[in-house]
Amino acid sequence: MRIALGSDHAGFEQKQMLKEYLANELGHEVIDLGPDTDDRVDYPDFGEKVGRCVASGDADRGVCVCGTGIGIAVAADKVAGVRASSITTPEFADLFRRHNDGNVIGLSGRFVDPEVNREIVKVFLTSEFEGGRHAGRVEKIMQLDTTGKVEAADQPGGEPAAC
Ligand code: RB5
């Protein structure tokens, strides 16, 4: 698989470790979108780069690292076509793939050990989307990208409340 990789300064060290792991141990093609040093940068810049790389089809999946994994995942998820989440356990990586068809993960460079992040990445790249009852739900998520709302015709009780 082609994997887009990015971080901010707080995730830089683990990004470099994951780059090596992805290429040398798992055998993936890594597209390193930066940064190239641990100088202070803003995580939305790199979340966007990873998100766009996945949304365009240039990469199959994206892996982002910041201090918590939260901010960079939130930024990536703003790119249409991306389903990104902060992930802190292998179990959540598995469910994010099986239920949500997630295509970008945000990892914590400050609060999660490299060994755990390596396992998260491995699971994220091997678990498959289950489809079935989850497919319609993911489709509704994607409607938010394309029309700005969930088409709620099949919801029990009709349209959801305004807020
Ligand atoms: C940077 O200090 C930190 O805010 C960032 O890495 C990330 O944790 C944001 O969500």
Side-chain angles (χ1 to χ4, degrees):
M1 268 192 254
R2 291 159 303 161
I3 313 299
L5 188 62
S7 75
D8 70 355
H9 51 285
F12 178 75
E13 190 179 348
Q14 287 219 32
K15 172 175 80 73
Q16 298 306 99
M17 292 181 192
L18 288 169
K19 182 177 177 177
E20 167 135 356
Y21 176 66
L22 282 161
N24 298 341
E25 291 197 38
L26 299 185
H28 294 291
E29 179 187 333
V30 178
I31 305 168
D32 184 352
L33 296 167
D36 298 326
T37 72
D38 64 357
D39 291 351
R40 194 165 299 278
V41 291
D42 293 332
Y43 58 80
D45 303 4
F46 294 90
E48 182 199 10
K49 284 178 198 285
V50 170
R52 287 196 189 283
C53 194
V54 172
S56 69
D58 288 343
D60 302 299
R61 303 267 170 84
V63 175
C64 308
V65 196
C66 69
T68 58
I70 297 170
I72 203 161
V74 169
D77 194 65
K78 296 291 182 192
V79 178
V82 170
R83 292 173 298 282
S85 178
S86 148
I87 299 290
T88 54
T89 69
E91 291 78 12
F92 275 26
D94 181 48
L95 287 167
F96 187 45
R97 285 291 309 136
R98 285 168 44 205
H99 290 190
N100 313 116
D101 200 14
N103 52 14
V104 174
I105 52 172
L107 302 176
S108 168
R110 285 183 174 154
F111 299 97
V112 176
D113 289 341
E115 189 182 337
V116 175
N117 276 335
R118 280 196 292 275
E119 186 61 24
I120 288 170
V121 164
K122 189 172 163 187
V123 170
F124 173 61
L125 298 178
T126 51
S127 288
E128 295 290 346
F129 180 50
E130 283 178 11
R133 71 185 190 279
H134 303 292
R137 296 164 184 167
V138 171
E139 172 56 30
K140 288 185 176 188
I141 293 172
M142 302 325 290
Q143 287 169 3
L144 288 163
D145 274 349
T146 53
T147 69
K149 67 188 284 263
V150 172
E151 307 301 331
D154 66 341
Q155 285 196 352
E159 292 285 324
C163 63

